[in-house]
DNA sequence: GCGTCTATTCGACCTTGGTCTGATAGACCA
DNA sequence: TGGTCTATCAGACCAAGGTCGAATAGACGC
């Protein structure tokens, strides 16, 4: 069978080059497409029907884990390897929960990255060696529910999370306020909350840097 | 002059004992009062007019930095040394911004803690050696504004941040919903936002929320 | 004591949020 | 082809959020 191309999506040109090197080591015969935005990723997926996506979480338009969830829903069969500067345990676990096939910290050297890519191309799930199994997963429910949101619902929730009014969301998306309200009703039903404030709290599981509140009293 | 007593406030009895030892080393002649809640702290302040408060951030009723801010407003002259399991840079910097006189990580040994206490009793500000100067201070404004909130406003904001309705806040505080709304208006004015969702976003600067330091496998 | 300030309290009033009904249209699947 | 799911929207309706003006009470300066 013909080897499908690989997409590399990262903000940073230098790291993109390094990643390309690692990927070429793992799959020399594959075509590689580079991009630096979620938008570019979607275009590339449309155009090249890739077999693997290496995705940075910190791109301008990726909105934390929301981009990952959307892509997974659009192409469930496409394996996604998350590339991230973070090595935080909760970030790694959330990435996997949201459907990533691998988590590759940027601190890894080329050899290890190559190994990770090879594993994913082989159909495996790859994670860094030292991932603890702390079972303080109370955000598990929230994560479980967030993946059931449709891409449009996710987009609405992202805007609400930034503090926008329904009216403003409607304007940004060029739809009516009534539709935004309908989306919010559906979102809150799925997240099992009753107000937008609580929806925002639940959506904090999507934020990469400072993670959602948990009571480790 | 008579040496004013010292209050030690920490959830953990064992650590409270260790802290007492360190404090006694730094100020042998001082009376020491122990407590394990914010409520206990207030009582002790009322009763003993202390010269120093050693405050843990992770107590049941301390609501992150909100407790620190309240106490600072009630007793601006009382130096407060923050005791915390976290050593995260942003936590330390926020503690100082919110008026702490020292930041003492629990990982320090008794000798260093004694030194920190001594420094604060001397009127100095004490921080751990390795505090970087990473200039990712975008919460600086938010922090600046949060300290202008009155204790009541802070209390309301804490509840709203947990996702409670105005009606629920009113019930919890035994005041009318109209009053809660009035507080919210004042809060939003001070924080320079226009909706409760945005107020909750701003209030996130109060969340301590660091990763559990013990389970780094 | 007397003005002034601010925090807290509240009711009247308007705006935004959220539900429900019901409807249209496209995508996808069986 | 029919059934399900999603996205879109309108209008009515009620609940929640938010502003305004105003009253009270304590703190401060003078």
């Amino acid at each position: 069978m013909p080897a499908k191309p690989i997409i590399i999506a990262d903000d940073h040109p230098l790291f993109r080059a390094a990643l390309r090197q690692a990927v070429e080591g793992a799959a020399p015969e594959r075509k590689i497409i580079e991009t630096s935005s979620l938008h570019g990723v979607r275009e590339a997926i449309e155009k090249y029907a890739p077999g693997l996506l290496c995705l940075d979480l910190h791109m301008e338009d990726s909105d934390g884990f929301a981009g990952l969830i959307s892509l997974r829903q659009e192409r469930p069969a496409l394996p996604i390897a998350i590339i991230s500067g973070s090595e935080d345990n909760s970030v790694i676990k959330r990435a996997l929960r949201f459907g990533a096939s691998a988590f590759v910290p940027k601190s890894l050297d080329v050899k290890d990255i190559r190994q990770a890519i090879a594993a994913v191309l082989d159909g495996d799930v790859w994670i860094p060696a030292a991932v603890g199994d702390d079972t303080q997963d109370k955000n598990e429910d929230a994560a479980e529910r967030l993946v059931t949101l449709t891409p449009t619902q996710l987009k609405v929730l992202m805007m609400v999370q930034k503090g926008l009014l329904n009216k403003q969301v409607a304007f940004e998306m060029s739809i009516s306020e009534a539709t935004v309200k309908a989306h919010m009703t559906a979102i809150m039903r799925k997240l099992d909350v009753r107000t937008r404030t609580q929806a925002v709290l639940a959506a904090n599981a999507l934020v990469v840097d400072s993670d959602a509140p948990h009571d480790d009293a």
Side-chain angles (χ1 to χ4, degrees), chain A:
Chain A
M1 64 178 79
K4 293 177 179 173
I6 294 174
I7 301 178
I8 294 177
D10 197 304
D11 252 10
H12 200 313
L14 273 169
F15 190 78
R16 225 157 51 215
L19 199 52
R20 169 187 278 269
Q21 208 177 8
V23 171
E24 281 172 346
E29 80 288 357
R30 301 242 189 176
K31 179 176 176 61
I32 294 176
I33 300 104
E34 294 186 14
T35 182
S36 64
S37 68
L38 242 201
H39 183 67
V41 170
R42 285 186 215 278
E43 283 183 353
I45 288 178
E46 220 46 58
K47 193 167 176 184
Y48 297 102
L52 172 64
L53 167 60
C54 301
L55 180 69
D56 181 23
L57 280 179
H58 294 282
M59 297 186 302
E60 295 305 331
D61 53 354
S62 58
D63 272 326
F65 288 106
L68 169 60
I69 296 179
S70 291
L71 291 171
R72 285 292 301 159
Q73 284 174 331
E74 294 164 22
R75 304 276 159 152
L78 172 64
I80 300 180
I82 292 299
I83 316 292
S84 171
S86 168
E87 304 188 45
D88 186 74
N89 222 312
S90 83
V91 175
I92 297 176
K93 288 168 69 183
R94 274 181 288 162
L96 297 178
R97 187 162 303 284
F98 291 142
S101 291
F103 190 98
V104 181
K106 289 189 177 180
S107 57
L108 259 52
D109 61 28
V110 173
K111 184 173 64 64
D112 290 328
I113 295 182
R114 193 161 49 209
Q115 189 184 331
I117 301 297
V120 175
L121 288 176
D122 229 40
D124 292 341
V125 168
W126 191 95
I127 54 173
V131 174
D133 194 18
D134 44 337
T135 38
Q136 51 136 357
D137 279 348
K138 117 176 177 187
N139 310 29
E140 200 155 330
D141 289 345
E144 216 69 61
R145 288 170 184 145
L146 282 167
V147 298
T148 71
L149 296 181
T150 69
T152 312
Q153 289 167 354
L154 213 43
K155 195 173 173 189
V156 170
L157 182 55
M158 288 301 92
M159 294 185 183
V160 171
Q161 193 191 20
K162 294 194 177 89
L164 275 67
L165 305 177
N166 286 341
K167 197 182 298 184
Q168 295 174 304
V169 174
F171 179 78
E172 294 285 337
M173 296 180 65
S174 303
I175 57 181
S176 87
E177 189 180 349
T179 306
V180 176
K181 287 183 177 180
H183 284 311
M184 278 309 292
T185 299
I187 290 168
M188 292 187 292
R189 218 188 281 285
K190 282 186 178 177
L191 297 184
D192 192 29
V193 299
R194 276 147 302 282
T195 69
R196 71 169 36 211
T197 303
Q198 293 173 337
V200 168
L201 296 183
N204 280 340
L206 292 172
V207 179
V208 178
D209 54 356
S210 78
D211 49 345
H214 44 235
D215 49 358
D216 52 355

